Amino acid sequence: MIAFGAALAIVMVAIVLVLLSKRQLSEKYAVMWLVIGIAAIIVTVVPGLLERLTDALRVQLPSNLIFGGAIVLLVGVALHLSWELSRAEAEIRRLAEEGAINRIECEQLAERVAALERVGDRAPRLDDAHDAPGDDEGRPSSELQR
């Protein structure tokens, strides 16, 4: 039974290390799981450690200590994940607001550009202004004919 527990803990540590190397698990979560895995390896490898901890903490059975520790650990993980989720939701909301503002600004800029292009289509061009009667270098056409 001790060998099975140690093997299971070693497999858990190996899985965490593989997930960490593939960047599928964040470092801050990997540390927690590595600590749990190493603690499980230590408890299974060192005989009598769990019984001494049970006596020191005045718990009746070693299994009660394991289940109590697991419950405290799971509550802590749930609290941490809730905190992370709240932060992520706030960041998503902020980014969505910034995106909406940027979209509105882009639409306004596109409208301004379109308006300037419409005005530019109606304005006389340099070639057209040069060919206009009486407008050669600012002199009236009557002066040019003399």
Side-chain angles (χ1 to χ4, degrees):
M1 189 64 161
I2 292 174
F4 177 73
L8 190 62
I10 290 170
V11 168
M12 184 180 87
V13 168
I15 289 172
V16 169
L17 290 174
V18 167
L19 290 174
L20 185 61
S21 69
K22 291 182 178 181
R23 302 225 183 261
Q24 293 178 343
L25 183 63
S26 175
E27 290 86 3
K28 61 183 171 183
Y29 300 119
V31 169
M32 177 187 67
W33 290 114
L34 288 173
V35 168
I36 291 169
I38 292 170
I41 291 171
I42 292 171
V43 166
T44 56
V45 171
V46 178
L49 180 62
L50 191 58
E51 286 80 16
R52 285 182 285 195
L53 283 173
T54 301
D55 292 338
L57 296 173
R58 303 184 134 207
V59 179
Q60 288 183 351
L61 297 171
S63 60
N64 290 349
L65 179 62
I66 291 172
F67 286 125
I71 289 170
V72 168
L73 177 73
L74 290 175
V75 168
V77 168
L79 181 63
H80 177 73
L81 291 177
S82 296
W83 175 67
E84 288 283 338
L85 181 61
S86 297
R87 286 183 45 211
E89 286 176 348
E91 182 71 11
I92 289 169
R93 186 178 315 109
R94 185 186 65 80
L95 291 173
E97 290 170 357
E98 285 180 10
I101 290 169
N102 288 338
R103 183 177 41 85
I104 290 170
E105 288 176 351
C106 284
E107 289 172 359
Q108 290 173 348
L109 285 174
E111 289 173 5
R112 288 182 189 169
V113 167
L116 288 174
E117 287 175 349
R118 285 191 300 270
V119 170
D121 289 343
R122 286 182 269 161
R125 293 194 172 92
L126 290 177
D127 294 338
D128 296 340
H130 195 290
D131 295 339
D135 199 24
D136 195 13
E137 295 182 22
R139 292 185 226 137
S141 60
S142 59
E143 289 181 16
L144 291 176
Q145 291 175 354
R146 293 186 212 171

